[in-house]
Amino acid sequence: MSSIFLRIYGGLLFSLVLVSVLSGIVVTIVNGVRLAEYREDMARGTFRLVSEVLASLPDEQRQKWLGDWGYKLSIPFSMVPVDQVDLSPKDVELLSQGQVDVQMLNEKSAVITSWIDDQWLLRGSVPEISEQMASGTIIFLRHLLNSYSPDERVRVLARQSAASLSFPVTFVYYPGTHLTPLQQSQLKQGSVVTVLSLRDETLQLYAQMADSDQILHLGPLKLLNPYPFKLILTLGLFVLISLSLAIYILVRGMEQRLRKLERAATRLSRGDFDVRVNVGGADSIGRLAMAFNAMADHIQRLLSLQKEMIRGVSHELRTPVARLRFGLDLVADARTPEEREAQLEGMDQDIEELDKLVDELLTYANLEQGTPTISLKRHDVDKVVAQVVGEHLRLQSRVEIEHIPCNVLDPRRFVEIDRRYIHRAIQNLVGNACRYADGKVQVRFSSTQDTCRIDVDDDGPGIPEEQWERVFSAFSRLDDSRTRKSGGYGLGLSIVRRIMYWHGGRALVSHSPLGGARFSLVWPRKQRH
């Protein structure tokens, strides 16, 4: 993703989906464990009590007694030999320690197994494991306690509750039950009263003993809530921490990259113009790093240009200024008006040379620093070439300048250019060619469907290939001459190259068919605005 915000939003969305999936898996696993424990708690009381009674009965009475109570509790009990059950040794050991084994047949029904003795296990098929099993527990417990006196019942109940039951069972009396008159009447008739509290999500069961006011109270039994507050709170904290961690991971990478940029910017502000930053990526930070590096390159190049210009200007100004000073001395010493006039004419030429140098410097600085004002309009480039050739023919006669007309159709001669700058570029190339040619210069314009080209050939000494790139550098000349005959300041070709840069093209040098050098300008017909 190229957008940093899309990356963050995408990462957050992915994290949210992942956390939601993980939360769903966690809830499923936790509720599975809770449901298994809940079912075991519901079944343990009845099955452990039945198993204890069976263990105390003689073998010949067990089946009949088990059948009777299986009918009363609506649970088809059976006795299974220990060595014939399909349980692991570990499960059998847990059964011997008072646990019960619950094997679900489907979402509701199950087969429950509990320990009787070393030879037998109690097994029963329950159509639905729910809070209603607690009714069977309290009914069976009341039956067991009826054989004891009221005083003994308390001790026996405490012992049975600690050994076999998973929920509290106690004796209460009417003043402490908070039962309605109707519910008290049902208790006295021998019924089991169930009290459901929706606010507390609990279930309580009451059963009165037959021969006393003792009321057997089972509960409060906590109903199974698939989404309790603690679980929701835990999941909320898990989601919050996970998303916070995801945001930290997403932002940390960007923060580290931004810190690299910050450190590089700090070093740049302190004068370290060689500093560059490498953060990679195609997002906003990556593009910012590329822009920073381009800015640093540009600043470094401008500073280098400034140094070159200072050195070059100081060197170029020294000669005409020295000649002016010398001319002033000669003017002062002139004895005749003719001598004075000759010296003043030379000084005027020196001033003109200074004026040309300043113009070259201003043009070069304008093209080199920042973005110059380029006014693109459609012009006939061949006419511009013809105009430049005519101007040079009027200025000098030493060199023959031949304009080879363009033989393409009129529409292709019209190109989007800044006429002033293209004129200046052709003028510099033709002037350079006239300066070094032995006697002939050729200028031609050609155009294809996509590109335009101007070639300026001369029959001079040419340029060695190893110097082709150097000739476009500012203040560079292949000879050390500073005389008026050779002329120039080493800026003309640099200006040409910058003009081509702002037109999206290139300035090239090669060998000329005339034997000297060929300078070429190549740029696209259509400019990017």
Side-chain angles (χ1 to χ4, degrees), residues 26 29-30 53 64 95 101 157 184 238 267 273 276 312 317 448 452:
V26 169
I29 294 174
V30 171
V53 173
K64 182 179 182 305
L95 291 177
D101 179 72
L157 180 60
Q184 294 180 14
F238 171 71
R267 290 174 58 187
F273 298 105
R276 298 295 183 271
L317 287 176
T448 65
C452 302

Side-chain angles (χ1 to χ4, degrees), residues 380-398:
D380 187 340
V381 180
D382 198 48
K383 285 187 176 181
V384 179
V385 172
Q387 179 184 354
V388 173
V389 171
E391 292 170 353
H392 278 272
L393 286 174
R394 289 192 298 270
L395 292 175
Q396 61 86 38
S397 58
R398 184 185 71 84

Side-chain angles (χ1 to χ4, degrees), residues 250-308:
L250 289 171
V251 174
R252 178 171 173 77
M254 293 182 289
E255 182 185 10
Q256 290 177 340
R257 297 164 70 199
L258 288 173
R259 284 182 177 176
K260 286 184 179 179
L261 277 169
E262 181 186 6
R263 288 194 293 268
T266 302
R267 290 174 58 187
L268 184 67
S269 67
R270 293 174 179 173
D272 183 4
F273 298 105
D274 294 325
V275 64
R276 298 295 183 271
V277 61
N278 181 21
V279 297
D283 56 7
S284 301
I285 298 179
R287 294 194 297 271
L288 179 61
M290 293 175 60
F292 175 86
N293 291 337
M295 178 191 69
D297 289 337
H298 188 62
I299 291 175
Q300 192 172 37
R301 187 168 60 84
L302 289 179
L303 289 175
S304 176
L305 170 65
Q306 184 185 45
K307 293 178 181 178
E308 290 178 3

Side-chain angles (χ1 to χ4, degrees), residues 476-488:
S476 66
R477 283 178 288 193
L478 302 186
D479 60 3
D480 293 328
S481 173
R482 294 295 184 268
T483 66
R484 289 179 183 148
K485 181 179 180 180
S486 64

Side-chain angles (χ1 to χ4, degrees), residues 188-260:
K188 292 176 180 178
Q189 293 174 9
S191 301
V192 175
V193 174
T194 302
V195 178
L196 176 63
S197 175
L198 296 178
R199 184 185 65 180
D200 299 331
E201 296 183 345
T202 57
L203 185 71
Q204 300 183 69
L205 288 86
Y206 297 89
Q208 185 171 347
M209 304 302 297
D211 57 352
S212 70
D213 291 336
Q214 290 176 316
I215 299 174
L216 198 59
H217 173 228
L218 187 151
L221 183 63
K222 194 72 175 177
L223 300 178
L224 180 63
N225 181 3
Y227 302 106
F229 176 75
K230 289 183 178 180
L231 180 60
I232 296 299
L233 180 62
T234 303
L235 285 178
L237 291 175
F238 171 71
V239 171
L240 182 61
I241 293 174
S242 301
L243 290 180
S244 300
L245 182 62
I247 293 173
Y248 173 76
I249 293 173
L250 289 171
V251 174
R252 178 171 173 77
M254 293 182 289
E255 182 185 10
Q256 290 177 340
R257 297 164 70 199
L258 288 173
R259 284 182 177 176
K260 286 184 179 179

